[in-house]
Amino acid sequence: MDVSVTLWVLTIVGLAALIALDFFIGRKPHDVSIKEAGIWTIVWIALAGLFGLGLLVLSGGQPAGEFFAGYITEKSLSVDNLFVFVLIMAKFAVPTQYQQRVLLVGVLIALVLRTIFIAAGAAIISNFAWVFYIFGAFLIYTAWKLIQEARADEPEEEFEENKLLKAAERRFGVADRYHGTKLWIEQNGKRVMTPMLVVMLAIGTTDVLFALDSIPAIFGLTQDPYIVFTANAFALMGLRQLYFLIGGLLRKLVHLSYGLSVILGFIGVKLVLHALHESGVHVPEISIPVSLGVICAVLVVTTITSLIASKKQAALEASEGASETSKSPKSPTNSIDV
């Protein structure tokens, strides 16, 4: 897909305008309701759909199919980010009325960092076709690792700050409490960061770890930097509302890791096949329609089996609770003999 500088500028300006509108509407700190989160989630999904349809009309089915496949993949992988976001919010005890602002700025930081990753990935791919072998092998390894972690059934871990974040805290210092939405304050004659800024940086920089598998994954579906960027942008910008909408549902998606591992493994195999094809080996390549179908099917099956398993587990726990109650000794009743 031949993308002009003008189209790049218009796209970035358009996204910036949408982000500014989102920020303006939610500028006042408040607790986000399910209704508000649901409306904005639908808005961002609809905008992504309209963008994909625009690609279909202006550039044909191939770019549109690549965008939708990339968007759905990035969206599903970004849901996994929400687990970590929950841990970060708990770690820094972020007041509920400030969580919306934290997520907005944190996601913007993540988008900037991902853009750097995308530019680097596109430059590497254009010069070294063999990098597809590395990307493919890495995704297959990540898929296997996800399965191992899911089967380990370890208790929920606590968020641990990365080295970059710790270095920033040592360098600038951190205030002992939140000061509204302020990012910097004067404390004892020294300018220090507030916990609000720290948690924003935590969310933004932590996303880089997720980009290590999501960026190679989408490059396995399309090598067009424009589609990679826009798919990531739409997936990330709707993530904040999704956090409030399905926060309680996250724990019910017990098979999510298995579904993501299948998707990453599938794209890893697709990348290896593509690398072999580029090397002159006659092997079948997986088309975008097939990729889109597999990704959607895996997500649907994963969601259904997760909800069924969660419902069975809840019923089992309720049954065990009722059984324990019935077995508990009853308190003796006092009787009076006449």
Side-chain angles (χ1 to χ4, degrees), residues 281-326:
V281 180
H282 296 289
V283 292
E285 285 204 87
I286 303 173
S287 66
I288 288 298
V290 171
S291 299
L292 186 57
V294 169
I295 292 167
C296 291
V298 169
L299 291 176
V300 169
V301 171
T302 298
T303 302
I304 292 174
T305 58
S306 292
L307 295 178
I308 291 174
S310 296
K311 187 176 181 180
K312 288 182 177 179
Q313 182 63 28
L316 179 62
E317 290 175 356
S319 176
E320 290 177 349
S323 177
E324 288 296 326
T325 303
S326 64

Side-chain angles (χ1 to χ4, degrees), residues 49-104:
L50 289 173
F51 182 83
L53 290 176
L55 285 178
L56 177 63
V57 172
L58 298 175
S59 303
Q62 180 73 11
E66 290 177 355
F67 171 79
F68 283 120
Y71 171 73
I72 293 172
T73 299
E74 292 299 304
K75 196 72 171 177
S76 60
L77 289 172
S78 67
V79 170
D80 209 27
N81 296 23
L82 298 183
F83 287 102
V84 179
F85 289 176
V86 170
L87 295 179
I88 292 174
M89 294 294 187
K91 167 76 174 181
F92 293 98
V94 182
T96 54
Q97 67 268 27
Y98 298 144
Q99 290 184 4
Q100 180 177 243
R101 179 69 61 84
V102 166
L103 286 170
L104 176 61

Side-chain angles (χ1 to χ4, degrees), residues 17-35:
L18 289 173
I19 294 168
L21 177 63
D22 192 4
F23 183 84
F24 178 78
I25 292 175
R27 68 189 184 282
K28 184 178 180 180
H30 64 284
D31 292 331
V32 179
S33 65
I34 295 296
K35 180 180 178 180

